[in-house]
Amino acid sequence: MSPLAHILALPVRAYRLVLSPWMGHGCRYQPTCSVYALEALERHGAIKGGWLAAKRLLSCHPWGGHGYDPVPGADPEHDAAHRGCSHKDPTDAG
């Protein structure tokens, strides 16, 4: 992960540490927005990953999307195994 991506990931990590435990488990998407943001930053770097994370956060509203929405460029085998599923991913922490 680039140094700028690490800096952009700090607020996400802070959210997961401080606020996420108090917010409950009502996320519309799988993986959750915080997991998506960290994965996008790791996989695509600060610019593209930050853009993908911002797009995802902006779509998280009552009239937005829902369901399984992986980071583009993610593992195709994992994507195929989880397409259309609505269960909680055991590797998801928040």
Side-chain angles (χ1 to χ4, degrees):
M1 193 182 294
S2 71
L4 184 56
H6 273 289
I7 292 170
L8 290 176
L10 287 175
V12 178
R13 288 193 171 102
Y15 162 80
R16 293 185 72 184
L17 182 68
V18 177
L19 294 176
S20 182
W22 299 97
M23 299 294 283
H25 298 287
C27 191
R28 303 174 57 79
Y29 288 106
Q30 190 59 250
T32 62
C33 293
S34 60
V35 172
Y36 184 96
L38 292 174
E39 186 176 340
L41 289 168
E42 183 176 322
R43 197 175 294 270
H44 296 291
I47 304 297
K48 186 175 181 184
W51 169 250
L52 289 169
K55 261 181 36 174
R56 173 68 172 276
L57 287 173
L58 290 173
S59 73
C60 193
H61 55 79
W63 302 280
H66 65 279
Y68 182 64
D69 180 29
V71 174
D75 181 18
E77 289 181 18
H78 184 267
D79 291 351
H82 290 279
R83 184 147 331 270
C85 70
S86 60
H87 71 275
K88 199 78 161 140
D89 188 349
T91 61
D92 181 20

